[in-house]
Amino acid sequence: MNDMSEWCLIISGAPYCYIPPNVQKADFIIACDKGYIYAQRASLKPDLVIGDFDSFRGDIPPGIDIIRTVPEKDDTDTLMALKEALKRGYKKIVITGGLGGRLDHTIANLSLTAFAAQRGAMCCVIDKDHQAFAIKNKTCRIKRGKWANVSVFSMDRESKGVTLRGLKYPLTDAVVNNMFPIGVSNEFAEDTASISVKDGMLLIILSDFDE
């Protein structure tokens, strides 16, 4: 996410949460339950705290809006935060504190990138060494930067017209399905890579590991 205008930061409650300085300047900050602790540690004051408060039981000071939920619900706290961000009109959303820890919650948080893309928004889930986002029926261009690896997965049964350019292992107008991870662990061949899909949803994961 290079364009940081009018965007929302969601701080979730994974065991580890990395909040880099550039994402601390969000226009709107939502903390999810334990995410409020991470916000405090980063000296950030959320605009909104959402959660069933099973992992944070402290006090929320005046001046911060609160949405209290119950543990028995269909939406995770992070999904509720994403829905709230979309409802407020944000089309660029960063989720931190959403990777690592429980595998089921990690997968759930990665699926939120598709939830956002389906609704015309860009949602990135980040930690210190990764950035994940989804695209639907479009092209994106990615600068190499610090990233060592690029992985591309279909989030649909089939994603058609997948083309990868500027990567070590290119594809042209390919069909990628969600049962064979042909797009895993690619590498930059040029300073900027292009990833496009004509019909389908792709999950793109950038990694800062060279092994």
Side-chain angles (χ1 to χ4, degrees), residues 148 150 164-171 185-190 193:
V150 183
L164 310 181
R165 293 284 181 265
L167 296 174
K168 182 177 180 179
Y169 307 105
L171 287 175
S185 197
N186 212 327
E187 302 173 20
F188 281 90
E190 301 175 13

Side-chain angles (χ1 to χ4, degrees), residues 72-87:
E72 298 80 10
K73 60 186 184 301
D74 292 334
D75 294 357
T76 64
D77 292 338
T78 309
L79 175 54
M80 291 188 66
L82 177 59
K83 286 182 175 180
E84 188 67 25
L86 294 171
K87 185 173 75 173

Side-chain angles (χ1 to χ4, degrees), residues 13 54 61 97 119 159 167 189:
D54 60 348
R119 289 156 180 79
S159 291
L167 296 174

Side-chain angles (χ1 to χ4, degrees), residues 51-201:
D52 52 29
F53 296 97
D54 60 348
S55 58
F56 174 74
R57 295 179 176 83
D59 295 324
I60 305 295
I64 298 177
D65 291 334
I66 302 172
I67 297 178
R68 294 185 181 274
T69 67
V70 296
E72 298 80 10
K73 60 186 184 301
D74 292 334
D75 294 357
T76 64
D77 292 338
T78 309
L79 175 54
M80 291 188 66
L82 177 59
K83 286 182 175 180
E84 188 67 25
L86 294 171
K87 185 173 75 173
R88 293 170 183 262
Y90 291 100
K91 295 295 185 180
K92 303 183 183 98
I93 300 154
V94 171
I95 298 175
T96 188
L99 301 176
R102 283 177 51 176
L103 179 59
D104 53 350
H105 278 289
T106 294
I107 293 173
N109 290 331
L110 289 174
S111 74
L112 299 187
T113 64
F115 184 93
Q118 185 70 35
R119 289 156 180 79
M122 171 65 78
C123 174
C124 291
V125 183
I126 68 168
D127 67 11
K128 184 175 182 295
D129 300 307
H130 302 90
Q131 177 174 303
F133 60 95
I135 61 171
K136 179 179 175 64
N137 303 348
K138 65 184 297 185
T139 297
C140 73
R141 290 174 176 81
I142 305 168
K143 293 183 179 180
R144 183 200 304 261
K146 70 172 187 175
W147 306 115
N149 295 302
V150 183
S151 292
V152 179
F153 303 98
S154 175
M155 301 193 79
D156 286 319
R157 183 176 179 276
E158 286 187 340
S159 291
K160 301 176 182 178
V162 176
T163 298
L164 310 181
R165 293 284 181 265
L167 296 174
K168 182 177 180 179
Y169 307 105
L171 287 175
T172 301
D173 203 27
V175 176
V176 179
N177 65 54
N178 61 3
M179 292 175 284
F180 178 60
I182 191 172
V184 71
S185 197
N186 212 327
E187 302 173 20
F188 281 90
E190 301 175 13
D191 288 337
T192 301
S194 172
I195 299 173
S196 63
V197 55
K198 294 178 181 176
D199 182 13
M201 182 84 69

Side-chain angles (χ1 to χ4, degrees), residues 11-14 17 19 31-40 46 55-56:
I11 306 173
S12 196
C17 181
I19 310 177
C32 301
D33 212 325
K34 184 182 175 182
Y36 181 69
I37 297 175
Y38 297 138
Q40 286 183 308
S55 58
F56 174 74

